[in-house]
Structures are given as C-alpha cells and as structure tokens.
Amino acid sequence: MRTQAAAGYPPIRQRSGVPLLHRTGYGVMYLALIAVAVIQVLPLVWLLIFSLKNNQEVFNMAPFAIPAHPHWSNYENVWVNGNIGQYFLNSVWITAVALVLTVLLASFVTFAVTRMIWKGRSLVLGLFMVGLMIPVHSTLIPLFSMFLKLHLTDNPLSIILSYVAFNLPTTIMILLGFYYALPKEVEEAAIIDGCSVNRMFFKIVLPMTSSVLATTAIINMIYNWNEFIFVNTFISSDKYKTLTVGVQNFIGQYTTDWGAIGATLMISILPILLVFLIMSERIVEGIAAGSVKG
Amino acid sequence: MAKVMSNKLVIALYVLPSLLLIMGIIYIPIVLTGYYGLNQWDGIGKMVFIGLDNYKELVRDNAFWQSALHSLLLALFSGISLIGYLGIALVLSGKIKGANLLRKIYLIPMLLSSVAIAQLWMKIYHPTNGVLNSLLTSLGVDNPPSWLAEPSIVLIALFIPIIWQYAGFYILIYYAALKNIPESLMEAARIDGANPWQIATRIKLPLISEVIKVTVVLSVVGSLKYFDLIYVMTDGGPNGASEVMASYMYHKAFRSFDFGYGSAVGFFLLLICLVATYLIRKATASKDTIQYS
C-alpha cells in the first residue's frame, strides 16, 4: 500500500533505497532499546558501587567511580549489627506458607467450579473475580480493627491470611483456563476405576496442572516477598517483620551512613535477583499470564 | 459419573475455606469501611454514629481533593507512558537480536521491593550527594533543585521512579501479545505492499486491542490506589504536595486516629476504582466495534 507516486518509481531505485533506510532505522531503534535497558539497570549499578564506599568516597569521588579498596565491611557490618538475617528468614517462611496455601486453595476452588456439578458455581466464581477489583487500602482500617479484636495484630497469621485472600482471585483466574481445557476422559476413566474425587484431585488433576501451578507460585512469590502495607500496618515487633519493612526501619537508624544503606538495600534485593537469574524464563511467562487474563 | 462429581460434601470442603476467607478479609471489611465512614471513631474508643457527616466533610475537604488530583495526574501520566511502552514493544517484537535478553533487563526493577526502589531513588535525588545533582553540577548547573523537597516538582520526581518500576511489566505484556500474532498475517500484508507503520497500526494494534484495554485499566486503577513509593519517599510531603488518596486515608486513620474519616476516604477510593474500571471498559468496548467493523 505504498503511495501512487512511489508505485510509479522504477523498481530498481526502490529496491536500492529501502534496505538502506531500513538499516539506519534498525540501528536507531536498536540504540533506543539499549538506552532503555541501560536506564533500567544504571540505578542498581550505582547502588552496588556506593554500597562499597565509605561516606568520604561517596561524597568526593565521581558517582560511578569504583573505589580502589571496596569496603566489603559495609555488608558484614549491617549483617552483624542489624536484624537483616531475622527479617530475611521471616520473608522466606511467610512468603512460602502464604504461597502454598494460596495455590492449594485456589486449585480446590477452581476444580470445584470448573469440573464439579452444582448450583451456584458461577455465582461463587463471580465473587472471587470481583475480588480482583477491590483496592487493598479500602479494607485496611476494618482489617486492622478486626485483627486487633482477635489479638492477631503483631502476629504473622494476620499478614498470611491477608496475602492468601488477596492473591486467591488472581491465582484462580490464571488456573481457570487450564482447568477448562483438561480432558473429561481422564476423570471418567478414574471414576470407572472406582477413584474418589479427593484421590482424583490429588493424584491426577494436581500433577496434570503442575506447569501452571509453577506460574501461579511465581506470581505469589513476587507479590508476597515485596508486600509492604500489610506488614507495615499489622506487625510492630522486629521478630515478625519481613525484609521490606525491616529494611525501611533499619535504614532509619543509618540516615547518614550511605555505605551501610547501600549494603542493606543490596542484601534485600539480591535474593530476588538471584531467583530471576535462575528462573527468568518462568518468571517472565508467569508475570505475563498473571496480568493479561485480568 | 455425575453422582461422584456432584458430591456436596467434597464441594463444600473445596470451596468453603476460600470463600470464608475472602468474605472475612475482603467483603466484610469493604462493608465495614462504608459503615465506619458513618461514624466518629478514633479506632479504640466508642463509635458515635454521625450519619453522612464524614462524607459531607469529604466533599468540602480541599486537602482530599488535592490528593485526588495528584492520584489523577499519576493515572494520566501512566496512561500516556503506555504509548511509549507500546512503541518499545513494537520495535522489540520485530526481528531484533537479543530481544529476549532486553525484555528481561527491562523487567528487573519490577521485581524489587518498593522500599528498596524508594530508598535507592531518594539517594538518586539527594540534593547534594545524589547521582542526579552530582551530574547536573558537573554539567555546570549552579543550583540544582532539591527534588523531593520542592512542592512544584516533587510529583514529577515521584512519577519517574514509578514509571521506571513498571516499564518492564507493560513492555512484557505488550511483547507477549504481539508475539502471539501469527507471522502469516504480517507476511500477507507485506506481499500486499504494506509498510512497517501500516502493519503496526492496521494489523498489530487492532489485534492486541483487548490486551491494551486490560493494561489501561491496570495502569489507571493501579495509579488511583498507588501508595508504596510515595509513602516511603516523601510521606505525602512537603506540606501535602505529593499526598495521594491512599496516603491521605492512611494518614487520617493511622496518624490522626480519625478512623471514621479515614474509612470514608477508603470507601470513596473503592468507589472511584470501581467507577474508573467500569468507565474504561465501557469506553474501550465501543471503540473496539468501530475498529473491527
């Protein structure tokens, strides 16, 4: 659909012109893409560099100059003096417990809604799907007062329950498509062989959905690991704080020591970067699945 | 078969725990938020029913509308940046070497906790020792601004890290959608003489319009309820210049201990998010039919 005038050009001129234009255009676009990539990582490179400096070096050297003798002691210092190890451990187990609960409960619900036969299943599914649109902040005040009455504030259970409830809708949404696509013959064969529904679910259906379970697990992991507002509101003692909130409070004590702050931040982001390095393919796939189907 | 698959006990066992959980953690609190909003309450003492007074006050509350305006500006800013992400994804989904690696690099900020991102950007914006002002000074700017302390620029200074955080996420979504379009469609268009621009605007974009719609809803609703980075970086300051709806709610409830008023703000936030979702879906649905007819 080139213009009429272009169509009138002799074919040879057109052929020699177009590739050249393409090559420059391609080059410019490629540079732009690389520029965006640089912008995305440059702040992190700077963070790594200043985490290895002392204050004098941070303030007097060029921002991206690496000190001749990197102060690895910054890392040792914050790891030993702070509660980072404790926060880290809390993040790991709270993330894991909430993740396993969410994926298991979501699988139960999705199985019951898509494969079993009962009245009201579309209504129940609808209730879960409407949950996708509810902003967390609008529930924060009542949740706080409810947990206060139940003596669940400053208790990890309060944040685990909140994580599971708010992650159920997304997780079910991702699972739905896979459950609808499961062949009915498998169930029929299992029932003819005298298999109970529970046995079928645990021995046949869950293993068959293991790939999508991994995807949902990743989404849950990223969400739980980085969650801030629930922990910040419900948890007050250091022994239950997760990495996000713990780091925030820890940095408060080090307002002037840039090296210590840098090291703390690096420690808090390294685990997730490491996981990304190992499982980037799955994570990319998981994030895409978790959003598009909404 | 039907008998086994309609076992009431099993259904109840599979559905009820989750159902009770979302009732207790999502739906009952939503109703309570609306109800608390009708009361004067400090969160600990006795609740005093005052009818619609909190909501009436909310309508007249300039500080609230100021925060709503900031949330709206963020929504607008994010909405516009979607165009850029779409452009990047279009280029990336062409025959580009290393596209896979690039989109993974773009995604890195999104994986980091908001606290880490906020703290890092506070250091970038630091008036004297931050990397941004060090750079500006070395370029000959005498008095670079103290980014997070100046009411006139604090909002834009906050929007930039938010954009930085989510860029990879939207590029990834668009990229995945564009890669799903069968190559044969583009091949056919090329044979018909279509140029890359025409292929992008008349074939690729209409085909991923559903996905674009979803991202518009995600970015607008996400912006309206945005909280984390702003809370850590400026806490709504200086002097309310960067307050957004969610941070205003948080301050009213958990700083001023005005739980009734905070709840009214929270309920309003819920309504705005639901209305925004509905309006965007409606608006984009009608456009769609025009595109395809």
Side-chain angles (χ1 to χ4, degrees):
Chain A
M1 277 189 275
R2 295 186 71 83
T3 56
Q4 294 295 333
Y9 282 159
I12 289 172
R13 256 187 83 183
Q14 200 183 346
R15 273 205 199 115
S16 63
V18 168
L20 185 69
L21 186 82
H22 260 200
R23 225 175 297 147
T24 349
Y26 180 89
V28 169
M29 284 174 179
Y30 204 67
L31 280 180
L33 288 179
I34 290 171
V36 175
V38 169
I39 292 170
Q40 293 302 95
V41 290
L42 211 53
L44 295 172
V45 174
W46 181 60
L47 172 65
L48 173 66
I49 290 173
F50 84 66
S51 76
L52 297 172
K53 291 177 173 174
N54 61 24
N55 265 5
Q56 205 192 347
E57 288 161 339
V58 173
F59 303 150
N60 296 330
M61 288 171 80
F64 286 96
I66 299 162
H69 301 284
H71 294 268
W72 291 104
S73 53
N74 286 339
Y75 285 81
E76 207 184 307
N77 176 23
V78 295
W79 185 268
V80 174
N81 292 336
N83 248 336
I84 301 271
Q86 175 79 54
Y87 301 146
F88 187 88
L89 216 63
N90 288 341
S91 271
V92 170
W93 80 261
I94 289 172
T95 295
V97 170
L99 180 160
V100 170
L101 270 175
T102 311
V103 172
L104 192 65
L105 285 177
S107 296
F108 277 137
V109 172
T110 316
F111 179 77
V113 167
T114 58
R115 313 302 293 193
M116 299 191 71
I117 306 147
W118 47 294
K119 270 185 203 159
R121 53 186 166 165
S122 56
L123 177 76
V124 166
L125 181 62
L127 272 175
F128 281 101
M129 291 300 105
V130 171
L132 285 170
M133 292 190 291
I134 309 283
V136 165
H137 305 88
S138 299
T139 63
L140 201 62
I141 296 171
L143 276 179
F144 179 74
S145 74
M146 278 164 53
F147 287 139
L148 201 63
K149 272 187 201 126
L150 297 169
H151 301 289
L152 284 180
T153 45
D154 207 20
N155 182 331
L157 199 57
S158 62
I159 46 179
I160 291 174
L161 288 176
S162 307
Y163 291 179
V164 177
F166 275 99
N167 284 344
L168 271 175
T170 322
T171 310
I172 291 173
M173 181 187 76
I174 300 171
L175 293 178
L176 271 180
F178 280 76
Y179 272 82
Y180 280 127
L182 286 180
K184 237 187 160 71
E185 287 75 13
V186 178
E187 282 165 24
E188 281 165 5
I191 289 170
I192 290 165
D193 286 349
C195 187
S196 73
V197 181
N198 279 321
R199 219 180 129 82
M200 180 204 302
F201 177 78
F202 285 105
K203 295 273 168 193
I204 301 170
V205 175
L206 271 192
M208 278 175 82
T209 54
S210 60
S211 71
V212 68
L213 290 184
T215 304
T216 57
I218 285 161
I219 306 241
N220 275 280
M221 182 191 77
I222 294 171
Y223 174 83
N224 295 345
W225 186 268
N226 291 333
E227 204 282 326
F228 175 72
I229 191 169
F230 283 139
V231 186
N232 194 48
T233 312
F234 302 152
I235 302 292
S236 48
S237 54
D238 263 347
K239 62 176 183 220
Y240 296 133
K241 272 177 191 153
T242 60
L243 209 47
T244 45
V245 173
V247 160
Q248 171 69 5
N249 296 0
F250 189 60
I251 286 174
Q253 311 161 14
Y254 277 96
T255 40
T256 50
D257 186 347
W258 282 48
I261 293 171
T264 309
L265 292 179
M266 279 307 294
I267 291 175
S268 83
I269 66 177
L270 272 177
I272 210 104
L273 287 182
L274 216 61
V275 173
F276 187 54
L277 211 62
I278 300 164
M279 321 206 315
S280 60
E281 209 56 60
R282 262 254 183 268
I283 291 176
V284 164
E285 190 187 301
I287 291 171
S291 50
V292 176
K293 288 176 185 167
Chain B
M1 172 81 193
K3 206 175 146 200
V4 179
M5 294 308 275
S6 53
N7 185 331
K8 290 255 165 32
L9 182 69
V10 173
I11 292 167
L13 269 173
Y14 281 19
V15 173
L16 278 182
S18 305
L19 199 58
L20 289 176
L21 196 63
I22 65 159
M23 282 297 163
I25 304 282
I26 301 179
Y27 287 103
I28 293 173
I30 284 295
V31 176
L32 286 177
T33 299
Y35 173 70
Y36 290 173
L38 301 172
N39 290 271
Q40 175 110 47
W41 187 38
D42 62 3
I44 306 154
K46 231 176 125 54
M47 260 192 237
V48 181
F49 188 82
I50 53 168
L52 287 173
D53 283 7
N54 279 330
Y55 292 94
K56 279 181 197 152
E57 195 185 327
L58 187 65
V59 176
R60 288 193 303 264
D61 183 354
N62 279 334
F64 169 73
W65 289 112
Q66 200 66 30
S67 73
L69 176 71
H70 298 154
S71 294
L72 203 68
L73 283 174
L74 176 59
L76 204 68
F77 196 75
S78 317
I80 292 168
S81 61
L82 287 181
I83 300 169
Y85 304 148
L86 197 52
I88 294 172
L90 275 170
V91 177
L92 199 63
S93 67
K95 291 186 177 77
I96 292 279
K97 263 187 222 138
N100 210 18
L101 180 68
L102 281 171
R103 74 182 172 141
K104 280 176 195 166
I105 294 175
Y106 296 158
L107 198 63
I108 290 173
M110 199 226 153
L111 304 169
L112 311 181
S113 76
S114 41
V115 168
I117 292 176
Q119 289 291 349
L120 171 57
W121 280 82
M122 282 165 82
K123 292 287 171 274
I124 290 176
Y125 284 133
H126 193 279
T128 48
N129 305 318
V131 69
L132 183 59
N133 280 2
S134 302
L135 192 76
L136 287 175
T137 315
S138 68
L139 286 175
V141 180
D142 280 338
N143 280 315
S146 47
W147 300 93
L148 298 174
E150 285 179 25
S152 56
I153 45 173
V154 63
L155 268 186
I156 201 79
L158 285 171
F159 291 172
I160 288 167
I162 298 174
I163 297 288
W164 179 79
Q165 182 180 13
Y166 285 102
F169 173 69
Y170 289 107
I171 293 172
L172 165 68
I173 296 174
Y174 290 144
Y175 179 85
L178 288 166
K179 277 287 170 191
N180 268 339
I181 302 174
E183 188 59 36
S184 60
L185 282 177
M186 270 86 86
E187 206 50 55
R190 245 170 253 134
I191 290 165
D192 286 346
N195 63 35
W197 174 252
Q198 287 166 327
I199 292 178
T201 53
R202 300 205 193 152
I203 298 176
K204 288 182 177 174
L205 291 188
L207 280 174
I208 64 162
S209 63
E210 271 305 311
V211 172
I212 295 176
K213 241 194 283 184
V214 172
T215 57
V216 171
V217 174
L218 278 179
S219 87
V220 169
V221 175
S223 304
L224 291 178
K225 61 182 186 193
Y226 200 81
F227 177 81
D228 290 8
L229 272 199
I230 293 173
Y231 176 80
V232 178
M233 286 177 79
T234 63
D235 201 16
N239 208 2
S242 65
E243 195 88 271
V244 288
M245 284 189 285
S247 65
Y248 192 65
M249 180 225 83
Y250 200 85
H251 287 146
K252 281 292 166 189
F254 297 100
R255 295 270 168 76
S256 317
F257 298 103
D258 196 346
F259 276 61
Y261 195 65
S263 296
V265 177
F267 195 68
F268 208 80
L269 177 65
L270 169 76
L271 290 183
I272 289 180
C273 286
L274 292 181
V275 169
T277 311
Y278 174 77
L279 286 181
I280 297 164
R281 299 232 162 184
K282 212 173 157 174
T284 45
S286 56
K287 257 188 218 142
D288 232 10
T289 45
I290 296 167
Q291 266 181 358
Y292 278 119
S293 63

